[in-house]
Amino acid sequence: KNAEALAFEYEKKLEEEAAARQLEEIKNLTKNDEVINNTPVNYDTSDLAMMAAIIECEAGNQSYEGKLAVGSVIVNRINSPKFGNTLQAVLYAPSQFSIVLARGADAECTKAAKEVLNGHITINALYFHMYNSEVDKGGTVIGDHVFY
């Protein structure tokens, strides 16, 4: 139990450090760097499955609005010069998203993935993480996430 508690504390510290790095990156963003629009993304069934899986991994327990927001962040990154310009480049970038495709995503996550890939962007954000009221002073809170 002691080792488990130490591992949990270490994981929490890593998450806090990652959130702090993200917040610093967000502070350095300028409006000119953002390319947020409702342009559809070219995708195939494999891309749709990957997008649905990442939405489920990151927001499977969130509202449909939260699922769309997570997908919107990914599409916004594809359209931003700060990130790769393909779904794979964004999803496989170091320290970004984890991919779980073994069983496939549920129907609601797949629906959200299809909507955002087809251009239904619901939030003007390039970043999100678990909301922490002690740290997060801005952004848009949807469910358990804050979006910047």
Side-chain angles (χ1 to χ4, degrees):
K1 285 188 176 187
N2 191 29
E4 194 173 293
L6 288 172
F8 179 75
E9 282 182 39
Y10 181 70
E11 265 185 24
K12 186 175 179 180
K13 181 180 178 187
L14 290 177
E15 288 175 5
E16 289 171 356
E17 289 172 356
R21 280 192 307 274
Q22 271 189 340
L23 288 173
E24 190 59 35
E25 287 179 23
I26 292 163
K27 290 176 187 175
N28 293 329
L29 285 177
T30 65
K31 289 293 180 188
N32 294 335
D33 288 336
E34 296 179 23
V35 180
I36 313 298
N37 57 50
N38 289 338
T39 303
V41 172
N42 290 327
Y43 66 94
D44 59 22
T45 55
S46 175
D47 294 329
L48 178 60
M50 279 194 296
M51 177 68 95
I54 198 64
I55 290 172
E56 184 164 329
C57 289
E58 297 289 346
N61 65 343
Q62 301 298 299
S63 67
Y64 191 69
E65 179 185 13
K67 290 175 176 70
L68 286 173
V70 167
S72 293
V73 166
I74 295 166
V75 171
N76 290 343
R77 288 182 179 190
I78 293 168
N79 291 324
S80 169
K82 295 182 74 73
F83 299 90
N85 62 356
T86 67
L87 181 62
Q88 292 83 6
V90 170
L91 294 182
Y92 289 111
S95 303
Q96 294 304 310
F97 300 102
S98 59
I99 303 293
V100 178
L101 293 173
R103 66 171 168 72
D106 67 22
E108 189 170 83
C109 292
T110 301
K111 179 182 174 188
K114 193 169 188 176
E115 276 193 55
V116 296
L117 288 170
N118 284 327
H120 183 199
I121 305 306
T122 62
I123 193 160
N124 185 13
L126 291 172
Y127 301 93
F128 72 95
H129 60 259
M130 293 298 291
Y131 176 66
N132 179 342
S133 61
E134 294 175 13
V135 176
D136 297 312
K137 307 297 180 204
T140 301
V141 177
I142 301 173
D144 294 335
H145 292 120
V146 60
F147 296 84
Y148 296 92

